Amino acid sequence: MRQTLHHFHGGVHPPELKELTRNLPITPFKNRGKVVISLNQGIRAFNRPIVQVGDSVVQGQKLSECFNPLSVPVHAPCNGTVIAIEQRPFTHPSGLQSPAIVLQASGCGPTPSKELMAIETLLKGITDEEMISRIRMAGIIGLGGAGFPTAPKLLSGTQQSIETLILNGMECEPRITCDDRLMRERPEQIIHGIELMNHLLQPKEILIGIEDNKPEAIESMRKAAANSKVPIEVVRCPTLYPSGGEKQLIQILTGKEVPSGGLPHQIGILCQNIATAHAIYPAMMEQPLTHRVVTVTGSGVSHPGNYEVAVGTPINELLEECGCDQPVAVTVGGPMMGFSLKDLNSPITKTLNCLIVEPEVPPVKTAPIRNCIRCAACSDACPANLLPQQLFWATQARNFDDAEQLHLFDCIECGCCNHVCPSQIPLVDYYRHAKGVLRNQQQEKIKAEQARQRHEFRDARIQREKEEKARKLAEKKAALKAKEKRQPSAGENGEKKEKQAAIEAAIERAKAKKAARNAATEQDKE
Amino acid sequence: MVSKMVPHNSSSTTKEMATVIFAMLPGLFALGWIFGPGVWIHVAIVVPTAMVAEAAILLIRGRNPINELNDLSAILTALLLAASLPPLLPWWMTLLGTLFAIILAKQLYGGLGQNPFNPAMIGYVILLVSFPLEMTSWLPAAGIQGEPLSWTAASQVIFGTGPTTVDTLTGATPLGGLKTGLIQGLTLQESLLKLPNGLLAGPGWEWINIAFLVGGLILLFTRTISWHIPLSVLGGLFLTALIFNLIDPNSYATPLYHLLSGGIMLGAFFIATDPVTASTTPMGRIWFGVGIGVLDYIIRTWGGYPDAVAFSVLLMNMFAPLIDHFTQPTIYGGNREARP
Ligand code: SF4
Ligand code: SF4
């Protein structure tokens, strides 16, 4: 038993509101309509489709190629026909469009057997490289939030020595219950995934962190862990938002802090979400990640629940199934960190864990936003131990460089400061905006640098060409002079020839002069 | 506009101000009991004046006055001023102080949250510098000596409408008397004896300070303020007083005397803790408080004024940004270079 748990600074206790869905089992959602597979899987690089309109595809078929090492391919979640490859609304705070493959669903492939194969049999003859490549080819990315691809994370883990493998089952955001259900219903598959990662990373210890508001999940995971040959410890952690933030969880379990701007593997720790672990076992069986569990909650639906949904399902189709028959406002993700959805046609993505559906009412009069009274409630609550009030003053005054000095980029956008601010200031909005501006500035700088290099290169080329021309001219002149010198020795009967030569030379000279003039004007033009 | 329904712990500036106002009541009642109804007359002057002044300026600035008046901060500033004034100060001085506090010290800087100096203390100090005699004339502690001042007498003095005048009633505060005695070359004991009813900290004042301490504890328990500032103000004063008292008990009063005299409890719990003008980092708040405590002792003991909460608070207000700058907490993950 782990004796000491550590604390992180600040944190808040928002109402959990998990009761609505925490006891509802995972229900499969059958696609009948369209499926929109976005080629933008949360990474800047887009995939290139390898199917064409009219092709029929089967469940699990790879639909795209990816070239960026940090991206993963996408797969068909069901049988069907490609009916379009076009721009579609994407599930993103900005509501931007993204290229997508649109399928008309026509049924499902065979359901994989529920029996789990023993790890030893499974891994017979498979190298580590092959394992990582299968994980990548199955399209696995972190299912907990940021969506960082799992394969490169594991790869960097194999290259460093990882002491602690942490599995994040905290699910600290209010309302969300999908990980809770996975841990209660499919602990064996999660444990299998952990064993596979253990095989790759060979850590000294494996810890599963679960908040104490999920006693059933703790129980179920403990039972499954006890059956495993690998020592896996399930750690019960006090409920405190945002304990499920990667950095906070690492601090709680190990007392270590990820260096600012660094990654956990630099301090010998690798952290994976339990839903990601759950997806790794099928990946080894070469079944790609095409479905995920999504919590649908809120008073805008009559059948809230935890649905296992195909990635790519348009959100409005899922909502219809959940009994949503009124205009609604949808928040994607948890109430603390999620964003409001612009277009209900946007698809379910791999990182989407929760939809909060509330009836769309005329905007209620919320408490007015007041001036900051410098009460420091926000800095007392900030888990990154920043000074949100000072960040706010800096970003409000558009002193973005000052904000950077105040460690803007260490802000994890958890929203604790918003939660406690008595003046109701939407602080995180300011930080997100400032981060965006600074990132753009950075991009601009890179672009300017590239432009400068291009310009210098061009100048150098022109200079080189000029020199080349001048050299050629000089050579010609020299050749002419040599010829002139040679002329007198041509003999007396060469008088006529001499004359001719003189004329020719004159012509040559005129030509050369003209050429020089031309060159000069050309130079001027340039 | 908040873009989505974010769960909020439903704290609000209005609620916090209301709690502080509520917590001032014990102290105000103690003042009223000890020094007569003058305090309440002041309250009746300052609160409407503050609200009208704030509303007027908000209108001029093109803001909706209702939206901002209901944060209650103007009322709180007014009450803090009323609690600091001598109970029989002429009404127009009180009015003037309030106007200075609200208009000059608060609204001209941009309103709530923007002012670098505590508005009530600015109002107080301007009055103190302009009318030193009136501002240091305190009543003998009537509540203790039997003979409470009547409402009529109090209002006659304040509004200058009757035979009772300030000279017949008032005297120096114990702190002032103590200082005069010490300057005249008397020892501490002798000076204290010369004062009427020289109890622990001068007659009546200990009760006022205890009452404000009670209010302060309410603020601590409702988590309206954190312990950093009050504890460090009182700690700073106590330790400095202790050191000098140990060096020369004949010339320097005991720490307990200092803790229970003048406006120190009001200052430590209600004035120094004004978040707008205090330091905002945890370590900064401690330095800020210690600074006030020590300065208070220095000015009380060697300065030209009998009490010094107002000056010490304003001086430390001036240093608050600097303190903030040097007391940035170590962020999660250490203090590495900020990254783009
Ligand atoms: S909680 Fe709000 S009002 Fe208080 S210091 Fe932070 S930003 Fe300012
Ligand atoms: S959103 Fe950023 S500044 Fe606010 S509490 Fe979280 S980490 Fe701190």
Side-chain angles (χ1 to χ4, degrees):
Chain A
M1 224 5 231
R2 185 147 277 258
Q3 289 305 315
T4 47
L5 288 182
H6 303 261
H7 292 280
F8 60 90
H9 181 264
V12 293
H13 286 285
E16 291 166 24
L17 305 173
K18 293 186 191 257
E19 283 309 316
L20 194 58
T21 52
R22 64 185 293 271
N23 289 319
L24 299 173
I26 298 174
T27 319
F29 169 77
K30 286 261 179 308
N31 286 87
R32 280 177 288 265
K34 296 191 179 71
V35 181
V36 181
I37 317 276
S38 177
L39 292 167
N40 173 356
Q41 285 292 333
I43 298 109
R44 258 152 259 172
F46 291 98
N47 277 351
R48 199 179 72 187
I50 50 173
V51 288
Q52 280 165 358
V53 176
D55 287 1
S56 32
V57 295
V58 294
Q59 178 166 356
Q61 183 178 335
K62 193 169 132 185
L63 300 181
S64 70
E65 272 180 331
C66 51
F67 305 102
N68 187 321
L70 286 187
S71 64
V72 293
V74 296
H75 304 84
C78 54
N79 301 340
T81 325
V82 180
I83 54 171
I85 298 176
E86 61 188 19
Q87 292 285 332
R88 284 282 178 143
F90 187 52
T91 320
H92 187 270
S94 66
L96 50 74
Q97 300 235 325
S98 148
I101 300 173
V102 186
L103 302 181
Q104 181 64 50
S106 65
C108 295
T111 22
S113 95
K114 287 265 182 293
E115 279 299 306
L116 298 179
M117 206 192 281
I119 297 299
E120 296 77 26
T121 353
L122 179 64
L123 288 181
K124 202 159 277 167
I126 298 186
T127 61
D128 286 3
E129 288 74 34
E130 172 68 11
M131 279 177 80
I132 290 181
S133 144
R134 283 192 186 183
I135 288 172
R136 173 162 186 243
M137 283 306 134
I140 298 187
I141 62 175
L143 297 180
F148 190 81
T150 307
K153 196 166 172 177
L154 289 175
L155 187 66
S156 61
T158 55
Q159 286 156 355
Q160 320 238 339
S161 82
I162 293 297
E163 290 200 355
T164 315
L165 172 63
I166 294 179
L167 276 299
N168 189 342
M170 304 293 276
E171 201 161 55
C172 62
E173 272 243 32
R175 286 176 169 255
I176 311 180
T177 56
C178 54
D179 286 356
D180 186 6
R181 290 312 307 185
L182 266 186
M183 291 189 283
R184 278 156 82 170
E185 294 180 37
R186 304 178 189 167
E188 291 83 14
Q189 189 172 327
I190 298 174
I191 295 289
H192 266 64
I194 298 173
E195 287 171 348
L196 288 166
M197 284 192 272
N198 173 61
H199 180 88
L200 272 175
L201 303 167
Q202 302 293 336
K204 291 210 184 81
E205 54 175 353
I206 304 178
L207 308 172
I208 306 179
I210 306 176
E211 275 192 343
D212 58 10
N213 61 359
K214 293 180 266 297
E216 302 89 345
I218 294 175
E219 193 48 37
S220 135
M221 289 306 294
R222 282 212 171 126
K223 246 188 225 150
N227 289 334
S228 169
K229 289 192 200 82
V230 182
I232 299 173
E233 191 183 327
V234 176
V235 187
R236 176 196 171 96
C237 303
T239 300
L240 175 65
Y241 180 82
S243 59
E246 186 174 74
K247 293 175 171 184
Q248 280 64 40
L249 180 57
I250 288 172
Q251 194 171 13
I252 292 173
L253 294 180
T254 67
K256 294 186 197 166
E257 292 183 17
V258 183
S260 166
L263 290 168
H265 66 70
Q266 292 167 349
I267 51 169
I269 295 174
L270 199 131
C271 204
Q272 289 287 1
N273 182 272
I274 56 107
T276 315
H278 176 261
I280 284 181
Y281 173 80
M284 234 28 77
M285 314 282 286
E286 296 181 272
Q287 291 156 4
L289 172 65
T290 53
H291 287 69
R292 71 152 297 145
V293 183
V294 176
T295 302
V296 183
T297 182
S299 55
V301 286
S302 54
H303 303 299
N306 301 290
Y307 293 90
E308 184 159 39
V309 196
V311 172
T313 307
I315 287 172
N316 51 9
E317 274 184 35
L318 175 61
L319 293 189
E320 230 166 79
E321 175 86 5
C322 301
C324 164
D325 49 6
Q326 52 186 328
V328 286
V330 176
T331 303
V332 172
M336 299 293 284
M337 295 182 72
F339 58 89
S340 49
L341 185 65
K342 292 247 163 48
D343 190 337
L344 287 185
N345 290 308
S346 313
I348 299 285
T349 60
K350 287 179 185 170
T351 53
L352 190 155
N353 49 11
C354 181
L355 293 170
I356 305 172
V357 189
E358 298 293 351
E360 196 171 49
V361 282
V364 276
K365 205 170 169 275
T366 45
I369 297 171
R370 297 185 186 282
N371 284 346
C372 166
I373 54 164
R374 308 172 35 120
C375 64
C378 49
S379 50
D380 289 344
C382 175
N385 213 0
L386 307 178
L387 292 170
Q389 68 276 46
Q390 299 207 1
L391 274 174
F392 167 64
W393 306 330
T395 49
Q396 192 189 33
R398 306 188 65 79
N399 292 332
F400 295 127
D401 293 338
D402 288 2
E404 211 176 324
Q405 288 299 312
L406 288 162
H407 312 285
L408 174 66
F409 282 94
D410 285 286
C411 165
I412 57 169
E413 300 181 17
C414 63
C416 288
C417 47
N418 277 12
H419 182 73
V420 298
C421 175
S423 292
Q424 323 269 350
I425 305 171
L427 297 161
V428 186
D429 292 359
Y430 283 90
Y431 310 151
R432 286 210 183 107
H433 173 73
K435 283 183 184 175
V437 171
L438 283 168
R439 284 204 189 100
N440 277 348
Q441 274 176 9
Q442 193 67 16
Q443 291 292 321
E444 290 299 310
K445 251 189 228 158
I446 294 172
K447 265 191 210 151
E449 175 63 17
Q450 283 168 348
R452 196 181 59 80
Q453 280 176 2
R454 265 203 305 279
H455 184 76
E456 274 173 8
F457 186 74
R458 178 174 169 276
D459 278 357
R461 179 174 52 87
I462 289 168
Q463 185 64 27
R464 204 179 55 234
E465 281 171 4
K466 254 187 225 165
E467 277 163 12
E468 201 104 299
K469 240 178 219 160
R471 196 171 46 93
K472 272 194 187 140
L473 210 65
E475 266 170 16
K476 247 184 200 164
K477 268 187 187 157
L480 222 59
K481 268 202 187 127
K483 217 175 177 184
E484 267 171 16
K485 267 185 200 155
R486 265 206 317 278
Q487 292 295 347
S489 62
E492 58 245 78
N493 62 340
E495 214 177 292
K496 212 180 178 186
K497 264 186 190 166
E498 219 172 55
K499 260 187 191 164
Q500 217 171 5
I503 293 164
E504 267 172 15
I507 293 171
E508 283 285 0
R509 270 200 301 279
K511 263 188 194 161
K513 248 187 208 164
K514 202 176 175 187
R517 237 198 341 267
N518 280 349
T521 42
E522 224 162 81
Q523 276 175 24
D524 285 351
K525 266 183 216 157
E526 281 171 11
Chain B
M1 260 310 288
V2 188
S3 49
K4 62 188 168 92
M5 291 300 288
V6 193
H8 192 272
N9 70 356
S10 72
S11 64
S12 81
T13 314
T14 308
K15 265 193 216 165
E16 298 203 350
M17 300 282 174
T19 317
V20 182
I21 291 172
F22 172 76
M24 280 192 74
L25 291 180
L28 288 174
F29 276 113
L31 277 169
W33 174 51
I34 305 274
F35 292 116
V39 180
W40 298 112
I41 299 178
H42 285 325
V43 168
I45 298 172
V46 290
V47 171
T49 312
M51 293 183 70
V52 170
E54 175 129 313
I57 299 284
L58 285 172
L59 277 178
I60 295 172
R61 288 174 58 205
R63 308 271 205 115
N64 179 353
I66 309 284
N67 268 351
E68 304 204 16
L69 269 181
N70 68 12
D71 66 27
L72 305 184
S73 60
I75 297 181
L76 180 57
T77 299
L79 288 180
L80 288 173
L81 183 64
S84 325
L85 296 175
L88 293 181
L89 195 70
W91 64 273
W92 56 272
M93 291 188 193
T94 311
L95 191 119
L96 209 62
T98 317
L99 293 182
F100 276 130
I102 295 294
I103 298 177
L104 188 80
K106 182 180 170 194
Q107 286 296 340
L108 286 191
Y109 282 106
L112 179 65
Q114 310 291 314
N115 47 304
F117 297 106
N118 188 307
M121 290 303 100
I122 290 273
Y124 177 85
V125 161
I126 291 180
L127 290 180
L128 182 61
V129 175
S130 320
F131 313 105
L133 182 66
E134 289 83 349
M135 285 295 287
T136 46
S137 303
W138 284 77
L139 280 174
I144 286 197
Q145 294 168 341
E147 202 54 40
L149 197 65
S150 72
W151 279 85
T152 343
S155 50
Q156 273 175 2
V157 179
I158 291 175
F159 294 103
T161 52
T164 332
T165 63
V166 102
D167 303 332
T168 57
L169 290 170
T170 53
T173 61
L175 270 178
L178 173 63
K179 184 174 275 166
T180 324
L182 286 172
I183 290 169
Q184 286 161 357
L186 305 177
T187 67
L188 182 77
Q189 283 308 317
E190 291 164 340
S191 318
L192 282 178
L193 281 178
K194 267 189 74 183
L195 294 170
N197 202 0
L199 200 70
L200 199 49
W205 285 95
E206 71 274 31
W207 294 112
I208 292 167
N209 273 300
I210 288 170
F212 277 119
L213 173 64
V214 169
L217 294 179
I218 295 178
L219 291 184
L220 279 181
F221 283 118
T222 55
R223 295 182 176 245
T224 312
I225 58 174
S226 69
W227 55 269
H228 301 77
I229 292 178
L231 199 74
S232 47
V233 171
L234 299 179
L237 179 66
F238 182 88
L239 286 181
T240 328
L242 184 67
I243 291 169
F244 282 98
N245 186 248
L246 287 179
I247 293 175
D248 183 358
N250 265 335
S251 323
Y252 299 103
T254 61
L256 198 60
Y257 175 88
H258 275 286
L259 281 190
L260 289 177
S261 52
I264 188 65
M265 289 296 170
L266 175 67
F269 286 97
F270 292 88
I271 296 171
T273 52
D274 166 29
V276 174
T277 53
S279 172
T280 74
T281 63
M283 268 317 282
R285 283 183 260 179
I286 289 176
W287 287 117
F288 178 81
V290 169
I292 291 177
V294 173
L295 278 174
D296 190 50
Y297 185 85
I298 292 174
I299 305 177
R300 271 180 179 186
T301 313
W302 297 289
Y305 292 94
D307 200 3
V309 170
F311 286 113
S312 350
V313 168
L314 292 178
L315 277 170
M316 291 313 289
N317 285 168
M318 219 162 72
F319 286 112
L322 199 70
I323 296 176
D324 279 354
H325 184 80
F326 285 109
T327 53
Q328 308 258 330
T330 314
I331 62 158
Y332 177 102
N335 234 334
R336 304 281 174 98
E337 278 287 285
R339 122 193 96 99

